[in-house]
């Protein structure tokens, strides 16, 4: 306990301790009247984590709660095992466990592994050109492996009407 004499007036009292969040409160001192501040329990200061992913834009959850999209900076509870999960359509989810100290900062980049699926193609005329997502592939192959996200296909050949379609390959379904 701290006892001190103060002149009458209004004061902001701030308590600080290493590894803890500061605590501030207003105290009004009246002449000849003791002021008592109830017991204060300081809270550990947060740690900070900087997260990035390849590719960018992965959804991030921390300890089961949505935190945002990469790149992301966020506070974490210190001195516990925090579970960070990353997910993005067309990629396998990733998980990292991290334990940090109060006021510690940590950065890491997670590379997500693409989920690929095989797409079987049967096109007439067989020598038509294939363009996927605006990039020429060449003559339409019998099959093509693509990530499990929506792709725009264009089939074209001189003298024929071009055809466009969007397809989301699924590893679990033959296409």
């Amino acid at each position: 306990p701290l006892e001190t004499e103060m002149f009458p007036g209004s004061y902001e009292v701030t308590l600080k301790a290493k590894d803890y969040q500061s605590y501030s409160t207003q105290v009004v001192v009246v002449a000849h009247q003791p002021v008592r501040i109830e017991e204060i329990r300081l809270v550990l200061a947060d740690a900070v984590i900087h997260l990035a992913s390849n590719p960018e834009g992965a959804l991030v959850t921390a300890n089961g709660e949505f935190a945002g999209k990469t790149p992301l900076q966020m506070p974490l509870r210190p001195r516990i095992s925090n579970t960070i999960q990353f997910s993005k359509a067309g990629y396998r989810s990733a998980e990292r466990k991290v334990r940090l100290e109060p006021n510690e900062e940590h950065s890491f980049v997670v590379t997500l592994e693409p989920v690929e699926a095989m797409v079987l193609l049967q096109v007439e005329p067989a020598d038509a050109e294939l363009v996927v997502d605006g990039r020429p592939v060449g003559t339409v192959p019998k099959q093509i492996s693509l990530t499990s996200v929506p792709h725009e296909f264009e089939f074209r050949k001189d003298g024929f009407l071009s055809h466009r379609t969007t397809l989301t390959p699924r590893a679990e379904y033959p296409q």
Side-chain angles (χ1 to χ4, degrees), residues 33-51:
Q33 292 184 5
V35 174
R36 178 175 170 86
I37 299 174
E38 294 301 318
E39 181 179 304
I40 298 167
R41 292 194 183 269
L42 295 179
V43 177
L44 281 172
D46 288 332
V48 176
I49 193 157
H50 304 270
L51 305 171

Side-chain angles (χ1 to χ4, degrees), residues 44-69:
L44 281 172
D46 288 332
V48 176
I49 193 157
H50 304 270
L51 305 171
S53 66
N54 184 7
E56 282 189 359
L59 301 177
V60 177
T61 60
N63 302 316
E65 292 189 28
F66 178 72
K69 286 184 176 184

Side-chain angles (χ1 to χ4, degrees), residues 47-121:
V48 176
I49 193 157
H50 304 270
L51 305 171
S53 66
N54 184 7
E56 282 189 359
L59 301 177
V60 177
T61 60
N63 302 316
E65 292 189 28
F66 178 72
K69 286 184 176 184
T70 60
L72 174 69
Q73 173 184 315
M74 58 186 262
L76 281 183
R77 289 182 47 209
R79 296 185 178 157
I80 67 164
S81 178
N82 291 280
T83 302
I84 312 295
Q85 294 174 314
F86 302 82
S87 62
K88 185 172 177 86
Y91 295 85
R92 284 186 174 65
S93 295
E95 181 177 291
R96 300 291 184 272
K97 298 220 184 257
V98 62
R99 180 185 172 99
L100 300 174
E101 290 299 310
N103 296 314
E104 182 179 355
E105 288 197 34
H106 185 72
S107 299
F108 64 85
V109 177
V110 170
T111 299
L112 298 176
E113 183 182 332
V115 174
E116 295 203 349
M118 192 62 65
V119 177
L120 304 176
L121 301 168

